[in-house]
Amino acid sequence: GISLQACCELRSDGNSLDSIGVFATCDIDRGDLLAIIPKTAVLSAVNTEAADILDRSNLGGGLALIFAIMYERHVMGSKSRWFGYLRTVPEREYVPIFWSPAELQRFRGTGLEG
């Protein structure tokens, strides 16, 4: 699962579980490892129940992620392993398919790149 270094903690915004962040509880230096998040802990086109459909359809990038979220939310529903997470995600959200090239640079080297 996800692991945080001792100097980090997860906190909500205090009002709801709509916003959760990782906060440093001590001084950190540039380049310090703060958290390890396995790819299996992140909803993506690769680990959705719709992965085979996406693979056969040759969909990728932001479009595949949009489809994965729609499939998990509306087809799998409460049976989705992502159900708890998807309950915290707004029905509408800006997704990488609409981001500028500069914003997309944040995903360089991740499963969302491409």
Side-chain angles (χ1 to χ4, degrees):
I2 297 171
S3 63
L4 295 175
Q5 296 300 324
C7 69
C8 296
E9 66 182 19
L10 288 176
R11 289 194 309 234
S12 74
D13 64 2
N15 298 323
S16 67
L17 292 180
D18 290 345
S19 299
I20 298 175
V22 177
F23 294 86
T25 57
C26 64
D27 291 338
I28 56 174
D29 294 319
R30 179 181 288 265
D32 283 355
L33 176 66
L34 303 177
I36 298 173
I37 304 171
K39 289 183 178 183
T40 57
V42 178
L43 174 56
S44 72
V46 175
N47 64 11
T48 176
E49 288 293 324
D52 289 340
I53 296 168
L54 291 168
D55 190 47
R56 288 191 309 269
S57 301
N58 293 319
L59 292 177
L63 187 56
L65 180 59
I66 291 168
F67 184 86
I69 292 169
M70 289 172 50
Y71 189 90
E72 293 292 335
R73 178 176 267 159
H74 299 290
V75 175
M76 297 301 296
S78 63
K79 294 179 182 166
S80 170
R81 71 177 272 218
W82 305 103
F83 180 70
Y85 164 69
L86 291 172
R87 288 178 48 193
T88 68
V89 175
E91 281 289 324
R92 295 177 191 229
E93 186 64 62
Y94 295 106
V95 292
I97 196 168
F98 302 113
W99 292 0
S100 71
E103 291 170 316
L104 290 171
Q105 283 291 2
R106 298 177 188 159
F107 294 107
R108 187 176 213 143
T110 72
L112 290 179
E113 182 179 31

